Amino acid sequence: VWDQRTRRLLSSRNAHSSVVTGVELISAGEVVVTVSKDTQCKYYNWRKNISGVFFVMEASRLAAVCVTRPCERVLVSVGSDKYLTTWNLERTETEFSVQAHTEEATCVSLSPSNDLVCTGGRDRCVRVWTKNEGRLVCTLEGHPGPVTCARFLSETKIVSADESGCVVLWDVSGCA
């Protein structure tokens, strides 16, 4: 953790035994949440020097994570098991898990309202889901390579990119 103003290192932690694939800040930037190919989702409060494990997905190498804003009650993850999973952070338990892709799920993003989730995968698709039920809203096809990142820009716009260098702007206002 670095102080942007002074560019001074505030805290450092080597917490995972494999590649860290996703990071999210919560609690006004005091808590760093990380996911890793070691199958663990961990947290670290750098101000209080407290760390721990949110959850372990035995069958999955976690690829990406995001957290609902501003409430920070739900964490959403994807990984090599192809699943989209939502976690209740207060109870540290799974809310639901659904197969999101036919190959590894590589990225995840929440819409500004937290009502929708988009996922990207090695199957070259971006999919949009309801956050509360995990119902598939639409599948966006057209990437020539595996999707590496996908983000909501607004409630109806998603931008995604793939391994081939292709960047696509999607309008999902017609999805039901």
Side-chain angles (χ1 to χ4, degrees), residues 82-157:
K82 309 170 194 165
Y83 275 73
L84 161 68
T85 305
T86 61
W87 307 84
N88 182 304
L89 291 180
E90 293 172 340
R91 296 189 310 265
T92 62
E93 64 186 28
T94 303
E95 289 189 336
F96 74 83
S97 192
V98 61
Q99 185 172 340
H101 292 272
T102 58
E103 295 182 44
E104 178 181 3
T106 56
C107 52
V108 63
S109 175
L110 281 157
S111 67
S113 69
N114 293 314
D115 291 336
L116 298 173
V117 178
C118 74
T119 61
R122 295 200 58 78
D123 58 5
R124 302 176 182 192
C125 292
V126 174
R127 292 195 170 89
V128 180
W129 309 84
T130 58
K131 183 198 54 87
N132 291 334
E133 304 87 27
R135 180 179 57 81
L136 180 63
V137 174
C138 64
T139 299
L140 308 169
E141 298 176 302
H143 272 285
V147 177
T148 56
C149 57
R151 292 263 181 215
F152 274 97
L153 299 176
S154 70
E155 212 55 42
T156 60
K157 300 278 193 261

Side-chain angles (χ1 to χ4, degrees), residues 6-97:
T6 65
R7 296 184 178 166
R8 186 175 63 90
L9 180 64
L10 298 175
S11 181
S12 177
R13 171 119 345 165
N14 187 1
H16 288 280
S17 61
S18 188
V19 176
V20 174
T21 56
V23 64
E24 186 81 2
L25 293 174
I26 61 174
S27 301
E30 289 188 11
V31 177
V32 179
V33 178
T34 56
V35 291
S36 168
K37 290 194 179 216
D38 67 8
T39 72
Q40 297 184 42
C41 178
K42 294 186 175 186
Y43 66 90
Y44 173 51
N45 184 319
W46 60 273
R47 285 202 194 273
K48 296 179 181 176
N49 198 28
I50 299 170
S51 62
V53 176
F54 269 136
F55 59 83
V56 177
M57 289 186 69
E58 296 297 338
S60 176
R61 295 185 182 270
L62 294 162
V65 64
C66 59
V67 176
T68 54
R69 303 280 183 212
C71 68
E72 299 180 340
R73 288 190 195 119
V74 176
L75 183 139
V76 184
S77 69
V78 294
S80 63
D81 65 354
K82 309 170 194 165
Y83 275 73
L84 161 68
T85 305
T86 61
W87 307 84
N88 182 304
L89 291 180
E90 293 172 340
R91 296 189 310 265
T92 62
E93 64 186 28
T94 303
E95 289 189 336
F96 74 83
S97 192

